[in-house]
Every structure is written in structure tokens, then in C-alpha cells.
Amino acid sequence: MAWVKGHQLKLYNSLGRRLENFTPSADVVGMYSCGPTVYSFPHLGNMRPYVFADTLRRALRWKAIPVRAVVNITDVGHAVADSDTGEDKLEVAAAKERRSVEDIAAMYTQSFFEDMAALNVQPADMYPRASQYVEEMIAFAIMLEDLGYTYQLPSGLYFDTSKSPGYGDLALLDLAGQRETGRVEHVEGRKHNSDFALWRAEEPGVRRVMRWKSPWGWGAPGWHLECSVMSMALLGEHFDVHTGGVDHRELHHVNEIAQSEAFLHGDRPWVRYWLHNEFLLLNNAKIAKSAGPVPKLADLVEEGYHPLAYRLFLLGGHYRSQLDFTLAAMDAAQATLRRLISRVAPLRPLPVVETYEPARALVEDTDKAALAYVEAIDAAIANDLATPKLLATLQDALRDQDITTEGLRVVVAACDALLGLRLADLDPAEVDQRRAASDLTPEEVAAIERLIGERTQARKEKNWPRADEIRAELDVLGVQVTDTPTGPTWQLR
């Protein structure tokens, strides 16, 4: 089969915590990614799962593996604090902003789509809304009830995790221990702390804004139920890949697996590969809306950073490594993106190279250096999506004096097909939007003035190559130097 050519694609499966060869079970790989709960603007930490999932899709395309991608939109069912009790996040947001739930969902869904487009994340094949699948969720819960996996309380219908033999395997949880300490919220009558709501009934005397009639009373579905129902409806009862943030690995995905495998009542795993990206950190703490105001992509753009500089920042760390967000790191990413675009622009137009075999075919008989880079690209992406190595390979190729111009075009196009940085068409002027000099930190100003001082000294010593080299470094940083009779002056372009 075409997909096994080149290096074997290996992915880290959270189910078992091991690196595994990826072998599709069907002609088209089903891939489900947990989507946003659309009650507020997505923050920078929310972006990482989708850039990661997009990289995975690009890697599968590189290996000529067709993908059917689904990303859900949670517009009902997600209680505050990810709990089984309390108000729905969208209802809380609607009351706070004095708008309808529908308006809230539409506004923040649109914001999510705009951020995805700005980050060059490929659109999913489908974006199902949870509110459109409630009847299917009720039918799913009825089946679990008929199979004996549930019990009813005044607060709703609950899944009995003691009847799920493999409960907690994904999170490496000890079920007995989870029953004792798994949740902090108290639910009257719940048998085990790990049991979770399939249906959340209205409290006596409280009428929900979003409500449906069910065998267990008026109410709304539990948060975990929607992903099982919508993924099966759109990808089939079994599919290959499920992605999300590492926080989902500990609870949400554990519960998805329990209810789905109970529903299917078979000995075959519901999903074969579970992939999770690590947290984005801010001041060494996980970025979360619950912690207060957090940066959004629009905040970075307002500061003069290009959205793809943030994508580059994310790709500079492996998806399974925690990544600490700082403005210094963003400055470096912006400078790197500017340098890449300025170096690649003269090579345009780039060929369209999205898969391994055509890329190899374009250079194997004409350019040994380019062929070596294509193989290095393939090795990097096949090694559990090693994007830092892929970026380093691109930088090496751009500096290599032995590669031909045509070969370099192929290498750059291949890298960009996997990295998604729009190296083929991004206008260099778009990347040059930086902050004003008055907004620079003292450390940034000191670094710029140090370079200018070194350049001045090099010119005094008539070391013109070194002076030109420093001038190029300043250009990459967006610093325009003007030599005057009284000495050099500088400003940001």
C-alpha cells in the first residue's frame, strides 16, 4: 500500500502510553477532535489542540492516507467546572451578556472559525453541533439503560462505572481509588465518585433555558455523551483516531470510552489511537479560562504579531511537551517567520508537494542534497510528528550551498505542506507588523543597541563582512538602521 512507503509513521498512543506504528483500519481514516465549548472567546491555550490535530492531518496526507475529520461544537451540555452538577456554561454566558443562548453560540463559534482560519488550520469535513443531536443522545442513553449500565437519581441518569471493566485505563486510573477520590462534587445518591451523568434533569422549581423531554424528565444531556454519539453518527461505530488536550485524557475521554464500549458491547476497542497534546503554560501554570483573563489570538495580532508566528511558536515544541508562552518566545517566532518568508520569497512560485512519493520523485534523479532533505522531512514527521526537527531541517536546507534552486523549492514546499506556515504565498509585508519601539522591553532595546554597537565597531575596523552580517540580523528583527554624521540611529520598520 502507498502509505507504508518511506519511514513508518509512528504515533504515541495514550491508550497504553507507547509509540506505535500507525496502520489504518479502513481506506479512509476517521478522525474525531474534541471541539470548543462556545461560551466565550477561545484563548491561546485552546488553539494548541487544533494546530496539533491539523499537523496530524497533514502528516496523514503526506503519507497518502485519506482522512475524514470531525470537530464538534459544544453548544449545550457542558456544565461549569466540567462537573455533573450546576449551570450550563452557555446559559451562564447568555445571562451575563444579556443575549440569547443562540446568539452566544453563534458569536463564539464564528470567533473560533476565524481563529482557525488565521492559524491556517484546515477546515474539518464536518462540525456537528451538540444541540442538533440531542434526540440521538437520548436514544443512546436508553440503550445503555436497557443494557443495565445505568441508574436513575432525581438529578438525572448516571453511568455505573463499576460495570465498565476497563474504566480508567486511558488515564492509568485505579478504579477503586477513583471511586473514592475521583470527583470533588457531591451528588446525592451517586454510587461511586467516578460515576457520571448521561442526562442532567432539571432541579425542582428550576426551568432550564435549553431543555428537552426525556424518559428521565426534562433536562439536557451530559457533556461526555455528545462526543460518543456524534462521532459514531459521522464516522461509524469504530474509527481510528481521537484527539484532544491532555486534560481530556484524565476524565472526558475516559468517560467517552466507558459509555461507547458499553453501548457497542464487544471485545474490540471503540477507538484505536488516542492522541493528546500537552498544556500551554503561562507563568508556569496551565492557561485556563477559569483562572481569569487569558491572552487571545486577537491580543497577539493587536500587539503586531502575525497569527502564523503563534503557529510557528507552537510547532517549535513537540506536541507532547508542555510549552511556556512568553512574549520573548513570540518575538523569536516572529523573527523566525520573517526570516523564513524573506528567504523563501525569491523561490516562488513553489511547486504543490503534499505527499511523500511525489516529493521524492521530483528530486531523486536530479538533486542528491534535496533527496536527503526529503528523506529527513519524512523521518521527522513519521517520528510522532517531530515538528521541531522538521523546522530545523527546513533551516538547514535554506542554508545549504549544495542544494539546487529547484531542489530547494521542492524541500520548502514539502516542509510547508506539513508545517502550514503559508511559505508559498504569505506577503512579507504582513509579517513586518511589529510593535512600536516604545513598546519594546528594556532587554529587547539593549539587545538591539548591542548589535548596533558591534556593527559600528566592525565598520571602524573595516570588517565589512561582519558589519553586513549584523545589518542582516537587524533586518530580520525589523530594525531599520540609518547612518548619520553623528552616529547610527534606528527605528522599527
Side-chain angles (χ1 to χ4, degrees):
M1 296 176 65
W3 57 267
V4 299
K5 293 184 178 178
H7 295 82
Q8 169 65 51
L9 178 60
K10 295 180 182 291
L11 300 173
Y12 187 84
N13 193 346
S14 293
L15 190 59
R17 302 292 200 280
R18 58 180 176 265
L19 202 62
E20 297 181 8
N21 290 343
F22 181 76
T23 54
S25 64
D27 291 338
V28 177
V29 167
M31 177 174 165
Y32 186 89
S33 300
C34 283
T37 301
V38 286
Y39 71 103
S40 66
F41 290 113
H43 60 64
L44 292 178
N46 297 142
M47 301 293 103
R48 194 177 193 189
Y50 307 108
V51 172
F52 149 60
D54 184 60
T55 305
L56 175 57
R57 286 181 65 192
R58 291 171 182 272
L60 293 171
R61 181 181 64 189
W62 172 257
K63 289 297 190 180
I65 304 173
V67 179
R68 181 178 174 87
V70 176
V71 177
N72 69 294
I73 303 294
T74 298
D75 57 357
V76 68
H78 197 165
V80 293
D82 299 346
S83 68
D84 285 332
T85 60
E87 298 176 276
D88 189 287
K89 290 187 176 184
L90 268 86
E91 292 184 10
V92 172
K96 182 179 179 180
E97 299 187 28
R98 297 183 179 181
R99 308 178 67 169
S100 70
V101 168
E102 292 77 13
D103 285 347
I104 289 292
M107 179 174 67
Y108 292 123
T109 298
Q110 182 59 33
S111 176
F112 169 75
F113 286 148
E114 289 171 356
D115 283 352
M116 293 299 97
L119 289 169
N120 199 27
V121 171
Q122 303 163 107
D125 295 293
M126 289 158 292
Y127 291 99
R129 270 68 167 173
S131 60
Q132 298 173 349
Y133 283 81
V134 175
E135 293 305 320
E136 289 87 343
M137 294 182 211
I138 292 173
F140 190 102
I142 289 173
M143 176 66 76
L144 291 177
E145 187 176 44
D146 291 344
L147 291 169
Y149 284 96
T150 69
Y151 58 92
Q152 188 175 356
L153 297 174
S155 56
L157 183 71
Y158 287 80
F159 185 91
D160 187 343
T161 56
S162 69
K163 297 184 177 181
S164 175
Y167 185 80
D169 286 353
L170 179 67
L172 301 181
L173 294 174
D174 171 69
L175 181 55
Q178 170 74 350
R179 286 180 189 162
E180 296 301 320
T181 62
R183 294 176 184 268
V184 296
E185 69 208 2
H186 174 72
V187 177
E188 187 67 34
R190 185 163 57 186
K191 296 180 179 179
H192 319 106
N193 282 348
S194 57
D195 295 351
F196 57 92
L198 297 168
W199 187 261
R200 300 171 64 230
E202 287 181 338
E203 297 179 24
V206 177
R207 182 186 176 94
R208 295 175 54 99
V209 175
M210 295 182 286
R211 62 198 299 265
W212 289 264
K213 189 175 183 180
S214 80
W216 317 284
W218 286 91
W223 173 41
H224 312 296
L225 190 58
E226 64 176 274
C227 288
S228 293
V229 170
M230 291 190 289
S231 62
M232 288 190 197
L234 300 173
L235 296 174
E237 290 187 343
H238 295 274
F239 53 96
D240 280 335
V241 179
H242 198 313
T243 74
V246 70
D247 50 338
H248 288 340
R249 186 189 67 190
E250 309 306 315
L251 178 66
H252 180 48
H253 290 170
V254 167
N255 292 343
E256 278 190 61
I257 290 173
Q259 66 196 11
S260 298
E261 296 193 346
F263 180 85
L264 296 171
H265 50 274
D267 56 3
R268 175 184 173 193
W270 171 46
V271 175
R272 299 172 66 222
Y273 299 90
W274 291 84
L275 279 75
H276 297 93
N277 63 277
E278 260 291 355
F279 291 129
L280 184 71
L281 304 179
L282 180 63
N283 298 324
N284 293 315
K286 172 195 168 187
I287 292 181
K289 293 174 185 173
S290 59
V294 290
K296 306 184 296 294
L297 189 63
D299 296 329
L300 289 186
V301 173
E302 187 175 343
E303 288 293 316
Y305 296 104
H306 194 281
L308 291 180
Y310 181 62
R311 181 182 179 110
L312 178 59
F313 162 73
L314 292 176
L315 296 174
H318 191 268
Y319 77 91
R320 286 195 289 113
S321 298
Q322 292 186 349
L323 197 55
D324 197 16
F325 174 82
T326 65
L327 288 182
M330 279 303 304
D331 287 338
Q334 180 96 335
T336 299
L337 181 62
R338 184 186 299 106
R339 184 166 59 249
L340 285 173
I341 296 300
S342 63
R343 179 66 183 86
V344 168
L347 299 172
R348 295 170 179 170
L350 300 178
V352 178
V353 181
E354 297 183 335
T355 55
Y356 167 72
E357 283 296 316
R360 179 185 173 88
L362 284 172
V363 297
E364 62 183 339
D365 295 327
T366 59
D367 191 332
K368 291 189 187 311
L371 178 59
Y373 283 115
V374 169
E375 292 301 324
I377 291 166
D378 186 57
I381 203 66
N383 184 22
D384 195 31
L385 315 181
T387 53
K389 177 63 176 175
L390 187 56
L391 282 165
T393 300
L394 173 60
Q395 299 277 20
D396 289 344
L398 289 170
R399 289 190 292 262
D400 196 331
Q401 299 299 311
D402 294 328
I403 193 170
T404 66
T405 299
E406 287 306 312
L408 184 57
R409 285 192 175 105
V410 173
V411 170
V412 172
C415 285
D416 198 39
L418 292 164
L419 296 169
L421 295 174
R422 289 183 52 206
L423 299 180
D425 61 17
L426 188 60
D427 186 346
E430 291 184 60
V431 189
D432 280 334
Q433 298 176 13
R434 281 187 57 86
R435 296 167 292 165
S438 59
D439 292 331
L440 293 175
T441 66
E443 292 79 9
E444 290 172 320
V445 172
I448 291 169
E449 291 181 345
R450 177 181 55 77
L451 285 173
I452 292 174
E454 290 179 7
R455 175 178 175 271
T456 300
Q457 185 62 31
R459 286 165 59 86
K460 286 181 179 178
E461 296 171 356
K462 301 188 184 306
N463 187 350
W464 308 119
R466 176 54 182 158
D468 290 340
E469 182 179 317
I470 295 172
R471 183 65 174 262
E473 289 181 49
L474 291 166
D475 284 341
V476 167
L477 294 173
V479 177
Q480 180 177 326
V481 179
T482 303
D483 293 309
T484 72
T486 57
T489 62
W490 65 274
Q491 63 182 11
L492 295 180
R493 289 186 285 109

